[in-house]
Amino acid sequence: MPRRSPRLTEGSPLLRLGDFGDRPAVITADDELTFDALQSRVDAVAERLGPTRRLVLIEGGNHLDALIGYLGALSAGHPVILAPGQHSDHIHSIVEAYDPDVVLDGGPNDWSIVERRTGT
């Protein structure tokens, strides 16, 4: 099978992850995700966040959901604040200081998207 060249999507600085097909994109201790599967999950987050540009706070962490949330927000054109994970007091102070429209937080088994408002 000929190797496809990665391309940029119109209006997006990110590569289309799906251009890499069924090659492994992310390998964790519990899972392996292909570029096609990663693209699908990133697109789902981007769609959930919507086209209206909103400030998104992401509680970072060394887990797949944090990566997918980050890539989804970026691919939809949202500005992102990436905060250290598992420091709930720290997250609350960032929320108070920056008043993000959306907060993506949690660990690998309890990820949530909290929309604090629909617009910005």
PDB file of all heavy atoms in Angstrom, residues 16-31:
ATOM      1  N   ARG A  16      -3.991  16.177   9.597  1.00  0.00           N
ATOM      2  CA  ARG A  16      -5.131  15.273   9.697  1.00  0.00           C
ATOM      3  C   ARG A  16      -4.584  13.927  10.127  1.00  0.00           C
ATOM      4  O   ARG A  16      -3.892  13.249   9.381  1.00  0.00           O
ATOM      5  CB  ARG A  16      -5.855  15.165   8.369  1.00  0.00           C
ATOM      6  CG  ARG A  16      -6.570  16.426   7.937  1.00  0.00           C
ATOM      7  CD  ARG A  16      -7.756  16.764   8.772  1.00  0.00           C
ATOM      8  NE  ARG A  16      -8.707  15.680   8.792  1.00  0.00           N
ATOM      9  CZ  ARG A  16      -9.720  15.597   9.640  1.00  0.00           C
ATOM     10  NH1 ARG A  16      -9.920  16.527  10.523  1.00  0.00           N
ATOM     11  NH2 ARG A  16     -10.533  14.580   9.610  1.00  0.00           N
ATOM     12  N   LEU A  17      -4.842  13.563  11.352  1.00  0.00           N
ATOM     13  CA  LEU A  17      -4.300  12.332  11.921  1.00  0.00           C
ATOM     14  C   LEU A  17      -4.719  11.110  11.120  1.00  0.00           C
ATOM     15  O   LEU A  17      -3.949  10.168  10.971  1.00  0.00           O
ATOM     16  CB  LEU A  17      -4.754  12.201  13.377  1.00  0.00           C
ATOM     17  CG  LEU A  17      -4.329  13.330  14.299  1.00  0.00           C
ATOM     18  CD1 LEU A  17      -5.057  13.230  15.633  1.00  0.00           C
ATOM     19  CD2 LEU A  17      -2.830  13.317  14.484  1.00  0.00           C
ATOM     20  N   GLY A  18      -5.928  11.149  10.579  1.00  0.00           N
ATOM     21  CA  GLY A  18      -6.447  10.031   9.813  1.00  0.00           C
ATOM     22  C   GLY A  18      -5.646   9.735   8.556  1.00  0.00           C
ATOM     23  O   GLY A  18      -5.748   8.652   7.990  1.00  0.00           O
ATOM     24  N   ASP A  19      -4.836  10.699   8.103  1.00  0.00           N
ATOM     25  CA  ASP A  19      -4.014  10.459   6.920  1.00  0.00           C
ATOM     26  C   ASP A  19      -2.998   9.345   7.142  1.00  0.00           C
ATOM     27  O   ASP A  19      -2.437   8.811   6.190  1.00  0.00           O
ATOM     28  CB  ASP A  19      -3.273  11.733   6.510  1.00  0.00           C
ATOM     29  CG  ASP A  19      -4.175  12.740   5.825  1.00  0.00           C
ATOM     30  OD1 ASP A  19      -5.335  12.390   5.505  1.00  0.00           O
ATOM     31  OD2 ASP A  19      -3.731  13.869   5.608  1.00  0.00           O
ATOM     32  N   PHE A  20      -2.749   9.009   8.387  1.00  0.00           N
ATOM     33  CA  PHE A  20      -1.797   7.943   8.694  1.00  0.00           C
ATOM     34  C   PHE A  20      -2.479   6.594   8.845  1.00  0.00           C
ATOM     35  O   PHE A  20      -1.828   5.595   9.152  1.00  0.00           O
ATOM     36  CB  PHE A  20      -0.995   8.304   9.942  1.00  0.00           C
ATOM     37  CG  PHE A  20      -0.123   9.513   9.756  1.00  0.00           C
ATOM     38  CD1 PHE A  20      -0.546  10.761  10.178  1.00  0.00           C
ATOM     39  CD2 PHE A  20       1.107   9.411   9.131  1.00  0.00           C
ATOM     40  CE1 PHE A  20       0.257  11.880  10.010  1.00  0.00           C
ATOM     41  CE2 PHE A  20       1.913  10.520   8.951  1.00  0.00           C
ATOM     42  CZ  PHE A  20       1.482  11.754   9.389  1.00  0.00           C
ATOM     43  N   GLY A  21      -3.805   6.563   8.671  1.00  0.00           N
ATOM     44  CA  GLY A  21      -4.561   5.313   8.609  1.00  0.00           C
ATOM     45  C   GLY A  21      -4.505   4.445   9.844  1.00  0.00           C
ATOM     46  O   GLY A  21      -4.667   4.901  10.955  1.00  0.00           O
ATOM     47  N   ASP A  22      -4.259   3.163   9.588  1.00  0.00           N
ATOM     48  CA  ASP A  22      -4.323   2.181  10.665  1.00  0.00           C
ATOM     49  C   ASP A  22      -2.981   1.943  11.356  1.00  0.00           C
ATOM     50  O   ASP A  22      -2.811   0.981  12.090  1.00  0.00           O
ATOM     51  CB  ASP A  22      -4.901   0.860  10.162  1.00  0.00           C
ATOM     52  CG  ASP A  22      -4.055   0.228   9.063  1.00  0.00           C
ATOM     53  OD1 ASP A  22      -3.064   0.848   8.612  1.00  0.00           O
ATOM     54  OD2 ASP A  22      -4.387  -0.897   8.657  1.00  0.00           O
ATOM     55  N   ARG A  23      -2.048   2.834  11.134  1.00  0.00           N
ATOM     56  CA  ARG A  23      -0.765   2.742  11.848  1.00  0.00           C
ATOM     57  C   ARG A  23      -0.982   3.116  13.313  1.00  0.00           C
ATOM     58  O   ARG A  23      -1.829   3.950  13.623  1.00  0.00           O
ATOM     59  CB  ARG A  23       0.263   3.684  11.235  1.00  0.00           C
ATOM     60  CG  ARG A  23       0.683   3.264   9.850  1.00  0.00           C
ATOM     61  CD  ARG A  23       1.718   4.228   9.321  1.00  0.00           C
ATOM     62  NE  ARG A  23       1.311   4.539   7.952  1.00  0.00           N
ATOM     63  CZ  ARG A  23       1.721   5.565   7.270  1.00  0.00           C
ATOM     64  NH1 ARG A  23       2.538   6.434   7.800  1.00  0.00           N
ATOM     65  NH2 ARG A  23       1.315   5.750   6.044  1.00  0.00           N
ATOM     66  N   PRO A  24      -0.188   2.548  14.204  1.00  0.00           N
ATOM     67  CA  PRO A  24      -0.330   2.899  15.623  1.00  0.00           C
ATOM     68  C   PRO A  24       0.010   4.374  15.860  1.00  0.00           C
ATOM     69  O   PRO A  24       1.018   4.872  15.376  1.00  0.00           O
ATOM     70  CB  PRO A  24       0.689   2.001  16.329  1.00  0.00           C
ATOM     71  CG  PRO A  24       1.014   0.924  15.357  1.00  0.00           C
ATOM     72  CD  PRO A  24       0.791   1.492  13.989  1.00  0.00           C
ATOM     73  N   ALA A  25      -0.847   5.051  16.605  1.00  0.00           N
ATOM     74  CA  ALA A  25      -0.630   6.461  16.940  1.00  0.00           C
ATOM     75  C   ALA A  25      -0.209   6.603  18.391  1.00  0.00           C
ATOM     76  O   ALA A  25       0.707   7.347  18.708  1.00  0.00           O
ATOM     77  CB  ALA A  25      -1.896   7.268  16.698  1.00  0.00           C
ATOM     78  N   VAL A  26      -0.901   5.879  19.265  1.00  0.00           N
ATOM     79  CA  VAL A  26      -0.638   5.959  20.698  1.00  0.00           C
ATOM     80  C   VAL A  26      -0.676   4.549  21.267  1.00  0.00           C
ATOM     81  O   VAL A  26      -1.613   3.802  21.015  1.00  0.00           O
ATOM     82  CB  VAL A  26      -1.698   6.823  21.416  1.00  0.00           C
ATOM     83  CG1 VAL A  26      -1.426   6.893  22.905  1.00  0.00           C
ATOM     84  CG2 VAL A  26      -1.778   8.212  20.819  1.00  0.00           C
ATOM     85  N   ILE A  27       0.344   4.236  22.032  1.00  0.00           N
ATOM     86  CA  ILE A  27       0.395   2.936  22.695  1.00  0.00           C
ATOM     87  C   ILE A  27       0.524   3.186  24.189  1.00  0.00           C
ATOM     88  O   ILE A  27       1.436   3.883  24.631  1.00  0.00           O
ATOM     89  CB  ILE A  27       1.586   2.096  22.184  1.00  0.00           C
ATOM     90  CG1 ILE A  27       1.453   1.860  20.678  1.00  0.00           C
ATOM     91  CG2 ILE A  27       1.663   0.770  22.937  1.00  0.00           C
ATOM     92  CD1 ILE A  27       2.664   1.226  20.035  1.00  0.00           C
ATOM     93  N   THR A  28      -0.432   2.656  24.941  1.00  0.00           N
ATOM     94  CA  THR A  28      -0.394   2.778  26.397  1.00  0.00           C
ATOM     95  C   THR A  28      -0.249   1.384  26.991  1.00  0.00           C
ATOM     96  O   THR A  28      -0.246   0.379  26.272  1.00  0.00           O
ATOM     97  CB  THR A  28      -1.684   3.435  26.930  1.00  0.00           C
ATOM     98  OG1 THR A  28      -2.773   2.536  26.739  1.00  0.00           O
ATOM     99  CG2 THR A  28      -1.971   4.756  26.245  1.00  0.00           C
ATOM    100  N   ALA A  29      -0.187   1.317  28.295  1.00  0.00           N
ATOM    101  CA  ALA A  29      -0.091   0.026  28.968  1.00  0.00           C
ATOM    102  C   ALA A  29      -1.341  -0.818  28.731  1.00  0.00           C
ATOM    103  O   ALA A  29      -1.277  -2.043  28.717  1.00  0.00           O
ATOM    104  CB  ALA A  29       0.133   0.230  30.463  1.00  0.00           C
ATOM    105  N   ASP A  30      -2.482  -0.151  28.516  1.00  0.00           N
ATOM    106  CA  ASP A  30      -3.750  -0.861  28.379  1.00  0.00           C
ATOM    107  C   ASP A  30      -4.324  -0.885  26.977  1.00  0.00           C
ATOM    108  O   ASP A  30      -5.273  -1.614  26.718  1.00  0.00           O
ATOM    109  CB  ASP A  30      -4.803  -0.222  29.293  1.00  0.00           C
ATOM    110  CG  ASP A  30      -4.370  -0.195  30.735  1.00  0.00           C
ATOM    111  OD1 ASP A  30      -3.770  -1.185  31.185  1.00  0.00           O
ATOM    112  OD2 ASP A  30      -4.624   0.831  31.402  1.00  0.00           O
ATOM    113  N   ASP A  31      -3.801  -0.074  26.077  1.00  0.00           N
ATOM    114  CA  ASP A  31      -4.482   0.100  24.800  1.00  0.00           C
ATOM    115  C   ASP A  31      -3.513   0.515  23.709  1.00  0.00           C
ATOM    116  O   ASP A  31      -2.407   0.991  23.976  1.00  0.00           O
ATOM    117  CB  ASP A  31      -5.544   1.196  24.957  1.00  0.00           C
ATOM    118  CG  ASP A  31      -6.672   1.099  23.956  1.00  0.00           C
ATOM    119  OD1 ASP A  31      -6.681   0.164  23.131  1.00  0.00           O
ATOM    120  OD2 ASP A  31      -7.559   1.962  23.997  1.00  0.00           O
TER     121      ASP A  31
END
